[in-house]
Amino acid sequence: MHARNKYVYLFGGGKADGDQSMKELLGGKGANLAEMSKIGLPVPAGFTITTESCAWYNDNDHQWPEHLHDQVLDGIVHLEENMGARFGDAKNPLLVSVRSGAKSSMPGMMDTVLNLGMNDQVVEGLAKKTKNERFAFDSYRRFIDMFGDVVMGVDHEHFEECIHNMKSEVDVKLDSDLDGEQLRDLVDRYKAVYRRHTGFMFPEDPYEQLRYSINAVFNSWNSSRAIKYRQINRIRGLLGTAVNVQAMVYGNMGDDCATGVLFTRNPSTGENKLYGEYLINAQGEDVVAGIRTPEPITSLKKVMPDSYKEIETIATNLEKHYKNMQDIEFTIQSGKLFILQTRNGKRTGQAAIRIATDMVDEKLITTEMAVRDLVEPQHLDQLLHPQFTDDEPIAKDILGTGLPASPGAAVGKVIFDADNAEKAAARGESVILVRVETSPEDVGGMSAAKGILTSRGGMTSHAAVVARGWGKPCVAGCGDIIINYKKKSFTNGKITIKEGEWISIDGTMGIVVKGKKELTDPKFDDHFHKFMKWVDKFRTTKVRANADTPDDAAKALEFGAEGIGLARTEHMFFGDKRINAVRRMIIAETPQERRKALNILLPYQRDDFLAIFRLMGNRPVTVRLLDPPLHEFLPHEDDEIIHVAHELNIPAKVLKHKIQNLKEFNPMLGHRGCRLGIVYPEITEMQTRAILEAAVTLKKEGLDLTPEIMIPLIGTVEEFIDQREVIDRVASQIFKEMGAKVDYLVGTMIEVPRAALTAGKIAAEAEFFSFGTNDLTQTTFAYSRDDAGKFLIHYVTHKILPDDPFQVLDTEGVGRLVEIATREGRAVKPDLKVGICGEHGGEPHSIAFFYKTGLDYVSCSPFRLPLARLALAQVHLKTQQQLVEA
Amino acid sequence: MHARNKYVYLFGGGKADGDQSMKELLGGKGANLAEMSKIGLPVPAGFTITTESCAWYNDNDHQWPEHLHDQVLDGIVHLEENMGARFGDAKNPLLVSVRSGAKSSMPGMMDTVLNLGMNDQVVEGLAKKTKNERFAFDSYRRFIDMFGDVVMGVDHEHFEECIHNMKSEVDVKLDSDLDGEQLRDLVDRYKAVYRRHTGFMFPEDPYEQLRYSINAVFNSWNSSRAIKYRQINRIRGLLGTAVNVQAMVYGNMGDDCATGVLFTRNPSTGENKLYGEYLINAQGEDVVAGIRTPEPITSLKKVMPDSYKEIETIATNLEKHYKNMQDIEFTIQSGKLFILQTRNGKRTGQAAIRIATDMVDEKLITTEMAVRDLVEPQHLDQLLHPQFTDDEPIAKDILGTGLPASPGAAVGKVIFDADNAEKAAARGESVILVRVETSPEDVGGMSAAKGILTSRGGMTSHAAVVARGWGKPCVAGCGDIIINYKKKSFTNGKITIKEGEWISIDGTMGIVVKGKKELTDPKFDDHFHKFMKWVDKFRTTKVRANADTPDDAAKALEFGAEGIGLARTEHMFFGDKRINAVRRMIIAETPQERRKALNILLPYQRDDFLAIFRLMGNRPVTVRLLDPPLHEFLPHEDDEIIHVAHELNIPAKVLKHKIQNLKEFNPMLGHRGCRLGIVYPEITEMQTRAILEAAVTLKKEGLDLTPEIMIPLIGTVEEFIDQREVIDRVASQIFKEMGAKVDYLVGTMIEVPRAALTAGKIAAEAEFFSFGTNDLTQTTFAYSRDDAGKFLIHYVTHKILPDDPFQVLDTEGVGRLVEIATREGRAVKPDLKVGICGEHGGEPHSIAFFYKTGLDYVSCSPFRLPLARLALAQVHLKTQQQLVEA
């Protein structure tokens, strides 16, 4: 518990009011700084204004709560004491940074102000004290720029224009080439820009600067880009952001200064070696923004061996303390090391697995912690990203190489603008977003793109960090290409690519290739297999795959499927030799004609099942009977109709009439699912025969299999009974004919609200349920998946829905039906087998819900299986952890 | 309680084992016979085999339960003692009838055998005893016919062919013209027919005849026609049929004999006068089957004054006893009156109301009983059947006149075959079924037809009784026309009407007219208004109407609406001057353009609401905001598109593109309902403005109205909040602009499962719920109302569904959602107003469910209002009665 009315938490000097556990109140950054200070790291002193203050501010018409003002003043005193300098004192000035920091990390999302406390007097004092006029005025002009941009909304570009003009006038290339006198001039020009755009003089009072800046951080919580980031990342339920006010330390006071970022291990590969970048004589922002290309951290060993050694020791201690790979920001001020920030580092899927397994080997963590904490389900998804099929692209197609910023290969049309990328993706196009660099304004387009390519910036640039976080392929800092936004093209000097042309990128290798390259599935290393073994050790819910073909089934087994949860039989209907038999079945006027056509299909279906069952061995396989409306199997274009009619040897008029007859206003709600088998029991008979003849054949070969026959789209128990009778009748015929029996189960999809609402009755007759959450979502919301795109984008953007319910299960509505059906089904039949086979079976948030609802298994596409296995292990471990803690 | 293992209940001689209350066990007929006997009516002695025996028989592979055989033998002994004759005794023979009788009346559905006990010896004895060879052999040949037909499945036609041939041979016209010798010959021929078709000799043993006949009754319970009748009439949950074995009495023993049927009041008009028909020297079957045209009952006063007087007394006593109009079958055997049957008589709606009000005036019953027991909701529906607009059809169009067998006028295409009638109706055609006479095999087609016309048969013929029961217009016994089934036409000698041509019938007047006559709404008499006043006295749930226009609203008030539960605004969009503005709104690319088009619509909508609100005065009016998908307002045919594009002054290509864009795979689940107002808030703004500007204007005129604004298709509370904000914002603008306020409510349709499942949250924001059970049924079942016809017929026919859920609310699934939403909504907001505005609001079974769920009102089409009011009063009274009885 924290004290009432305590809005400010101090840290620094090896002590802190807060600690790591207080992320909710102090934000991730604030809690981290407190913890770092507490464990003795050389953190510049500072204080954190709580997230509650932010909430109070935003709820109370932008007023501060009582006492906040006094506590901030006390905080400044604490800083002054710790750093031996005074805020606003021209002789011995203290400058501070003001940063946001919510509970969850939101890189680049929140506005930051540096060098606060500067004014015309202080800058002179600083110049004198540091004997570095250049540094002092450079800091001042940076401060005016940031304060103007972040706090007062003066576009950064206007300041950039100033410095650009200045450089032209004095004929220098780099900002750092400007001398003190020139920067002094620049400060005046910046102030003029400020005045022109705000209508006010630049505030000289450091306390006024501080108040404005704190408010700007509070306000930034509700900026549209922050809101958008939270949406895309599903960050919900937070109070607001904390504000961290911290003494500035400088990496740009001369050549014994440096600033850098590093990861305690390689965030791309997971290799246990310091990995990072630094710049001599620079501010931290220069590294992150990717404006100057930094040096690799290893070279610091030569340049500043003592500091490097200290960093190594700190890195080791931090990993021991946090039990995780750390992402550290540091500054060396006149030879003295300060750690500005440490946090769990973002990493690629490959790195996550490698780090988790290595740390277990190093006895840093247990296997349980490795599974629970060190790898995100999305990491595994990312691991499964495709790669280029041919390892070596033809040289002439290579447009350039850049940093392998986020692994995986992607193919798409070039788009240069984030908004357009979003729109094109909404139209269903594959897009590669190509930017000089990316900024927080671009996150929408970045999220929509298949991959990201930048021509500037390092491994820790905005593009790289965000892309890795999302597991999206990214090639960053590809200096081989020149982008021209106006002409909407980029060129490597030889080849020019226009917007809309196809390119391929490989974020694992850092290669950009012209055209649409073929992609192939990834292979897995020993770390992966080791890790997945641990995952399965902690997993209590079974996983199955949705697989319709022997190929799918083989893939499913490779990825750890313990059975098939959904084998759709209709996909088997489209084969060359089969489709005409299917069509004959559809146009049949009598059960006899229909049966004749179905008899042609029988051997094909039986062979399909033979192959799948044989592959799956003794594992359960759930076969769903025919589901889609029959018109899906008929042609719809005039010339095609004539062709098919000819093949079927019937007049085109007859076929056309049949097609017309089968036409439906709302096919999703039409004559499909079990409604087909009920009106045409011959179809159910044939399918049952194919399944069970295959099963009996394999039984005779010694397999111990129990096929599960699943009746789709049940809404009433009477439907189920009707179809079950057909199945049982055909089964006993087959067993008699073949002189052998197999056990089989008959169950149903629960994918219609009425089935969930009458699950008790249905469970009395059925041996298993499998939730078809795709259709259940369609009917519970009354959304057509094919049409809802139009308003769903609006809905998610405007927060009417937290997520697209077809991607993340709506636990409140659809989930309630899942709970009702599971509870009431099991009340009637305690051993009822219950699973889920909708797309949600491969989505971690939804999987956590299914675990909590007590389902026996989730079934998803083979490629989502590792993710599903990890998500299930994690929710189980976290639930166990909560039970222990409670 | 009845005794265990008692399968046979005796009656006769002023005593009985059973009574009226035992319908479940003894069937309606058996309980009636017991009661009649108990209250001293001259009932021929007999016994009833219980419905439990039937159930046991059908559940146990057509075996009889233990003891049944012995108890039947005891029953025969009881008959013999009472009637002073012996079963199978040639000298003093006792003949019996075997009839079915389930709990609910199913006229014509169950097979009956008469004259059982007859054989070659008995017939001679009977001839001798009655000195009437003709009668004896006529009875014998009738018995062989019925036994053959009903018990052994020999088609009645074969026997008819025999008698027809016999009449030709001896050159007589009527059956009764055949003499004893000829009938003796006929019996031989009948036996030969029997032998030829069954392969067995005709059974001479009366006990064997009895056993076979009882089994035939048991079997008839599961005949397809019996099943069909129960389906159509929604008769469920019965054990089976009872079997009534009763001593035969004969109306065909000579001219002092007669048989007849009568109603204690006129079943067409309700007039308090005996109403019925009889035939001298005939069996009861002759009257009911309509083979001979009978005499009106009043003429019996002259022919047999004593019997007539006795009948009058009995009729009065029966009405006193049963508190209801009775339908009586009687036989006079050699001058002695026997009452064979009495039951509550079927009647027209007009008669039901008249009888109910008269009986209250006569102090026979209370108003409560009148409302609860004497009028069915369907009777009121029937009362509301249309009539011909012009009272006197032009003489040349009149095809003929017949009996006014069931009131109301109907228009349809002539179909001569019941199956075809059913098919045509399923295609959506209006059909008049035209038959010489109808039989139980025809009930499917009769149910599907708009009206029924027969050329033969009386007011109590099968066609007349069934049609009255269903409130379906029927003209019976129209001897003016000759039907030729082969040629598929009928003629009155001047005009010939072929199958498929249109005719009109008026079952109130008994007129058949060529062509499609215009129909008009009925007028209501004083009895109706008196009755409806009582109805409203016992009604506790409010009624509203679904009404979109001032005309609808006026009709609603006329039929007793207490408000409007659903005013659909989209119907107002189709007016000539409006539709183009609507289309402009749809093709608008910006909110500005959209608003411009909407501004054109505003005054029209406002005027609509002004008119409706003014009419409804202070009564509540619920206005639903725009609901259908926008493409419904655009043209779809090419030439129409060109025309509309021209009118809108845009290129046809642009319009076509827009239409293409708006096309949806499943429009029912697409961009409609509140999803329109959320993406295009301008629409909600305009509609709110129209509603509230109209309301404020009338408020200024002194009306005290509180409009209810209903947001359609809500699935999440966030949607509701979004739209409510728009409405509240516009409202305060209007109140400011107009300088006056009105109270208004904002609520929602609950028509999507998710809304019902999250009703608690929605109720926190909404002031009322209205269940849209049409859409809720569509989404809960995943049935498209437009498409489900194809399988729903199959479903209802095959008992997969008890009813079409779009007609009768599915209480188990859809109803559960209604309960959940009502309960959880009221838990959050106890005074939440909850109603229903789907079609189920006008269906009695559904209405009873809504009453029990505690809804505040039901809203239905104006014409269903009287029915809804009665249904609500009845369910309330019956619930009260159950509370008292419990």
Side-chain angles (χ1 to χ4, degrees), chain B residues 702-774:
Chain B
L703 231 57
D704 179 24
L705 74 177
T706 304
E708 303 178 352
I709 300 176
M710 182 153 72
I711 304 169
L713 213 70
I714 288 293
T716 73
V717 70
E718 287 80 8
E719 289 174 317
F720 187 84
I721 291 169
D722 178 289
Q723 290 292 281
R724 161 141 228 164
E725 275 171 5
V726 174
I727 293 166
D728 288 344
R729 173 167 51 74
V730 173
S732 54
Q733 278 167 18
I734 292 168
F735 298 161
K736 216 164 151 187
E737 288 161 17
M738 299 184 71
K741 285 186 179 191
V742 288
D743 290 334
Y744 63 94
L745 306 181
V746 185
T748 178
M749 299 274 279
I750 303 286
E751 51 187 336
V752 165
R754 199 183 184 284
L757 292 165
T758 60
K761 276 196 169 182
I762 297 170
E765 308 292 333
E767 275 122 15
F768 63 88
F769 285 174
S770 179
F771 289 102
T773 50
N774 302 346

Side-chain angles (χ1 to χ4, degrees), chain A residues 523-787:
Chain A
K523 290 156 202 77
F524 304 104
D525 61 12
D526 290 346
H527 295 285
F528 174 79
H529 294 297
K530 195 176 191 177
F531 181 76
M532 291 311 294
K533 254 186 204 158
W534 298 337
V535 164
D536 287 344
K537 198 173 70 182
F538 297 115
R539 178 166 58 82
T540 55
T541 306
K542 295 212 177 294
V543 289
R544 297 196 192 180
N546 303 341
D548 306 335
T549 64
D551 279 357
D552 288 350
K555 190 61 76 188
L557 287 176
E558 187 189 334
F559 289 148
E562 293 160 304
I564 289 178
L566 177 65
R568 283 163 289 226
T569 51
E570 54 269 21
H571 291 187
M572 305 171 181
F573 275 28
F574 279 104
D576 241 14
K577 291 172 190 161
R578 311 169 179 197
I579 185 67
N580 274 344
V582 174
R583 287 166 175 165
R584 265 182 223 290
M585 180 267 284
I586 294 169
I587 60 169
E589 291 292 333
T590 65
Q592 288 70 34
E593 276 175 49
R594 203 170 299 119
R595 214 166 263 134
K596 208 171 136 192
L598 285 163
N599 279 341
I600 301 172
L601 287 172
L602 174 62
Y604 291 112
Q605 285 245 303
R606 191 175 46 213
D607 287 351
D608 291 330
F609 294 130
L610 269 172
I612 291 177
F613 290 162
R614 192 168 274 139
L615 255 169
M616 295 304 291
N618 300 342
R619 297 179 189 84
V621 175
T622 308
V623 180
R624 181 178 73 183
L625 300 181
L626 190 66
D627 183 60
L630 296 182
H631 49 73
E632 288 196 7
F633 299 100
L634 295 181
H636 288 100
E637 298 302 324
D638 272 358
D639 47 351
E640 224 193 325
I641 291 170
I642 290 165
H643 175 74
V644 170
H646 182 76
E647 285 209 335
L648 297 179
N649 203 16
I650 56 169
K653 217 175 61 183
V654 170
L655 183 57
K656 238 176 186 164
H657 181 71
K658 190 73 195 180
I659 292 166
Q660 199 55 39
N661 259 355
L662 287 174
K663 213 171 173 178
E664 294 182 309
F665 289 96
N666 298 292
M668 157 70 205
L669 307 176
H671 195 185
R672 49 173 288 242
C674 67
R675 302 163 197 173
L676 293 171
I678 289 169
V679 175
Y680 308 118
E682 306 80 42
I683 300 176
T684 307
E685 287 169 10
M686 184 280 281
Q687 294 206 297
T688 304
R689 194 164 270 280
I691 296 164
L692 292 182
E693 286 185 355
V696 172
T697 303
L698 293 173
K699 177 77 177 281
K700 287 179 176 176
E701 292 179 10
L703 231 57
D704 180 24
L705 74 178
T706 304
E708 302 179 352
I709 300 176
M710 182 153 72
I711 305 168
L713 213 71
I714 287 294
T716 73
V717 69
E718 287 80 8
E719 289 174 317
F720 187 85
I721 292 169
D722 178 290
Q723 289 292 282
R724 162 141 226 162
E725 275 171 6
V726 174
I727 293 166
D728 288 344
R729 172 166 52 72
V730 173
S732 53
Q733 277 166 19
I734 292 169
F735 298 161
K736 215 164 151 186
E737 288 162 16
M738 300 184 71
K741 283 187 180 191
V742 288
D743 288 335
Y744 63 94
L745 306 180
V746 185
T748 177
M749 297 276 277
I750 303 286
E751 52 186 334
V752 164
R754 198 181 186 285
L757 292 164
T758 59
K761 276 196 171 181
I762 296 170
E765 309 291 333
E767 275 123 14
F768 64 88
F769 284 174
S770 179
F771 290 101
T773 51
N774 301 346
D775 277 5
L776 194 58
T777 298
Q778 294 199 76
T779 47
T780 304
F781 275 95
Y783 290 167
S784 162
R785 198 175 184 175
D786 298 319
D787 304 311

Side-chain angles (χ1 to χ4, degrees), chain B residues 784-805:
Chain B
S784 163
R785 196 174 185 174
D786 297 319
D787 304 310
K790 283 168 201 165
F791 57 87
L792 273 188
I793 290 174
H794 182 99
Y795 269 37
V796 175
T797 317
H798 291 74
K799 295 171 96 174
I800 288 176
L801 287 174
D803 303 289
D804 178 342

